[in-house]
Amino acid sequence: MGHDHSHDHTDPPSDPALRVKALESLLVEKGLVDPAAIDEIIETYETKVGPRNGAKVVARAWTDPDFKSLLLSDANKAIHSMGYTGRQGEHMKVVENTDTRHNLVVCTLCSCYPWTVLGLPPVWYKSAPYRARAVSDPKGVLAEFGTTLPEGVKISVWDSTSEMRFLVLPQRPEGTEDWTAEELEELVTRNSMIGVEQAQTLEKLHAIKADKTP
Amino acid sequence: MNGAHDLGGMHGLGPINPEPEREEPTFHAEWEKRALGLTLTAGWLGQWNIDISRFARERQHPVEYLSNSYYENWLTGLETLLVEHGVVSPEELKQAKAIDPTPEELTAKCAPASAVQGILSSGGPCDMATDDRQEFQIGDKIKVLQLNPTGHTRVPRYIRGHEGIITDYYGSFIFPDENAQGNKIGQHLYNVSFDGNQLWGDGNDTTIHVDLWQNYMELA
């Protein structure tokens, strides 16, 4: 299988698709895994549990001061009250962006990520360059996402070394004072809740929509 | 362990090249879906915990850890766990065929599809009481011990030996270094802030927050 620690790295690479297929058929044959359970897991993270959950949390915090204060003081209680409970969201902490502070989340040791509110992490979040540089060069990382912070805004980086999962509460974009929570959800990107970007501005949202119009 | 997984501050890994959020699929290949599902369902057999499985991934040879894709590391970790815990034999893995009978206490733990939503939505809380005294308070100045354990640990290299400030106390949680060896004990868990200038040199005007268990630190 090519993962003996002592080999000399000249083995032909084994195709992971074939390895996974072989392993699944073995575990099914041994009565240890139900393929339908795997289907159910995949469907959950492809269609049910994803960043729209987090967007609902953020939009509610933007429009409901009591909820926001609960979210910042007891994130578990606030987020669980919206029904977002479970795996990789058991222990939550929410960090708020302000006029002087921008937050960025990483897991330098593996890929810890708040699944219940953001779903499965994107490839870049799990990648070595992001994990290496988010703590040592966060400004450079933000620049790669096209994010420049206003003068005077300092960066806090949160390295997820325990089972605590972090969610960034981005700043509410200007010009949205009359918007409802449902409308605001559209401005809350996944990346803004990790902290590599800010919430969508109205200009950017309009540009994306125009771009999508055939 | 001082493995390839402990990446904070490493240079030379190239650009991040993020895919645009609106275009990135949840999975990039069919096999990734099955690798995720297999890892979760096999984990539900209860033969290992999250720290044991992290350690199985991170003790690969650094060349392999860094050249593998994410789900390849999961797959390798899973194969290691299944063999080490005697769930499958090396020969079964090699032949992809059942040879030995599976003990009933294991097949009884096979999760059916109908159990998945319940398992995912209840999760697995990691808080755990301890009799140890809470040594630090918010605002205390601490120093991270110069630890170099060869086993699993959650104290990254880039903060070892550095001073920080306790900014939050979470309660007591399962201590990963012991959990990875199958010993479940609770220990106090804190959030600690570090000055970027101190960690990375002058001109790094950032604050880095790291969650640390009490055993990793002493009062500065």
Side-chain angles (χ1 to χ4, degrees):
Chain A
M1 288 280 155
H3 46 84
D4 179 324
H5 294 183
S6 63
H7 75 74
D8 61 4
H9 300 284
T10 54
D11 293 352
S14 52
D15 180 350
L18 295 178
R19 265 167 75 198
V20 170
K21 205 172 170 184
L23 189 60
E24 181 171 344
S25 88
L26 172 64
L27 294 179
V28 171
E29 190 191 353
K30 285 185 75 69
L32 297 167
V33 160
D34 176 359
I38 298 182
D39 297 339
E40 183 73 22
I41 292 167
I42 295 163
E43 204 207 325
T44 300
Y45 292 108
E46 278 192 320
T47 64
K48 294 182 189 131
V49 178
R52 291 305 88 207
N53 290 0
K56 285 189 197 316
V57 172
V58 168
R60 187 167 165 198
W62 283 346
T63 50
D64 177 347
D66 290 342
F67 180 78
K68 179 181 166 184
S69 111
L70 180 66
L71 186 66
L72 294 174
S73 62
D74 189 346
N76 271 4
K77 198 168 176 188
I79 292 171
H80 296 174
S81 78
M82 293 180 74
Y84 308 138
T85 63
R87 190 186 171 88
Q88 294 298 315
E90 294 94 341
H91 309 283
M92 294 289 309
K93 183 180 170 85
V94 172
V95 288
E96 184 188 15
N97 287 349
T98 66
D99 289 340
T100 54
R101 183 64 59 183
H102 182 87
N103 295 283
L104 175 70
V105 179
V106 64
C107 173
T108 61
L109 295 175
C110 49
S111 54
C112 297
Y113 189 75
W115 288 19
T116 48
V117 280
L118 296 186
L120 298 174
V123 167
W124 62 260
Y125 181 87
K126 304 176 286 193
S127 74
Y130 180 73
R131 287 164 52 191
R133 281 171 37 220
V135 285
S136 59
D137 179 26
K139 269 184 203 143
V141 166
L142 291 181
E144 275 198 48
F145 285 84
T147 304
T148 324
L149 300 175
E151 196 78 22
V153 179
K154 294 199 172 169
I155 301 175
S156 287
V157 183
W158 300 81
D159 190 355
S160 315
T161 50
S162 78
E163 301 310 327
M164 191 62 64
R165 298 288 166 266
F166 300 101
L167 183 76
V168 174
L169 176 58
Q171 284 190 288
R172 181 172 175 166
E174 282 174 23
T176 61
E177 290 73 16
D178 303 332
W179 289 41
T180 64
E182 290 70 32
E183 291 166 330
L184 287 165
E185 277 171 36
E186 234 184 317
L187 302 174
V188 187
T189 61
R190 175 199 67 200
N191 286 2
S192 71
M193 293 181 279
I194 304 172
V196 289
E197 290 170 7
Q198 292 173 302
Q200 211 79 264
T201 59
L202 300 192
E203 294 75 20
K204 187 122 182 256
L205 185 71
H206 290 148
I208 291 164
K209 290 215 160 147
D211 202 37
K212 279 193 152 180
T213 311
Chain B
M1 67 177 290
N2 297 337
H5 67 289
D6 186 358
L7 284 163
M10 189 168 170
H11 290 154
L13 292 164
I16 298 163
N17 288 332
E19 275 177 88
E21 178 172 338
R22 282 164 191 271
E23 290 164 25
E24 179 166 0
T26 309
F27 298 96
H28 290 72
E30 282 302 308
W31 72 265
E32 293 187 346
K33 303 178 185 180
R34 309 313 288 181
L36 169 86
L38 278 174
T39 301
L40 264 56
T41 49
W44 298 338
L45 297 170
Q47 304 303 295
W48 51 81
N49 60 47
I50 189 161
D51 291 301
I52 292 174
S53 63
R54 282 183 183 131
F55 191 50
R57 289 170 206 150
E58 65 199 29
R59 68 190 140 101
Q60 292 177 81
H61 191 286
V63 172
E64 288 187 7
Y65 183 90
L66 289 170
S67 9
N68 282 343
S69 72
Y70 180 73
Y71 284 114
E72 280 178 289
N73 277 332
W74 274 39
L75 176 60
T76 301
L78 178 58
E79 289 169 344
T80 302
L81 292 166
L82 287 165
V83 171
E84 285 185 354
H85 291 264
V87 178
V88 308
S89 70
E91 196 53 32
E92 287 178 318
L93 189 60
K94 198 172 161 192
Q95 294 188 21
K97 204 171 161 15
I99 300 167
D100 312 312
T102 313
E104 249 177 63
E105 60 262 35
L106 268 186
T107 52
K109 287 181 180 158
C110 174
S114 58
V116 168
Q117 290 309 324
I119 297 172
L120 291 178
S121 64
S122 55
C126 302
D127 44 328
M128 187 178 184
T130 177
D131 291 334
D132 289 357
R133 200 172 72 91
Q134 183 192 333
E135 304 268 356
F136 313 122
Q137 307 300 326
I138 291 173
D140 280 354
K141 196 176 188 187
I142 59 87
K143 184 177 183 182
V144 182
L145 299 175
Q146 192 52 265
L147 301 162
N148 281 285
T150 52
H152 177 69
T153 189
R154 296 294 286 181
V155 56
R157 265 176 288 187
Y158 71 88
I159 53 159
R160 293 179 196 167
H162 286 284
E163 290 182 355
I165 308 283
I166 303 277
T167 59
D168 203 350
Y169 170 66
Y170 297 137
S172 65
F173 281 73
I174 296 170
F175 183 53
D177 302 44
E178 288 291 330
N179 198 35
Q181 299 174 53
N183 309 319
K184 218 170 261 283
I185 57 166
Q187 187 51 269
H188 299 285
L189 178 66
Y190 307 82
N191 186 268
V192 185
S193 73
F194 296 87
D195 176 2
N197 291 295
Q198 194 200 109
L199 295 184
W200 310 110
D202 287 345
N204 191 310
D205 193 16
T206 59
T207 306
I208 297 96
H209 288 262
V210 183
D211 288 343
L212 294 173
W213 276 265
Q214 184 160 289
N215 311 27
Y216 297 152
M217 308 180 272
E218 63 189 5
L219 274 177

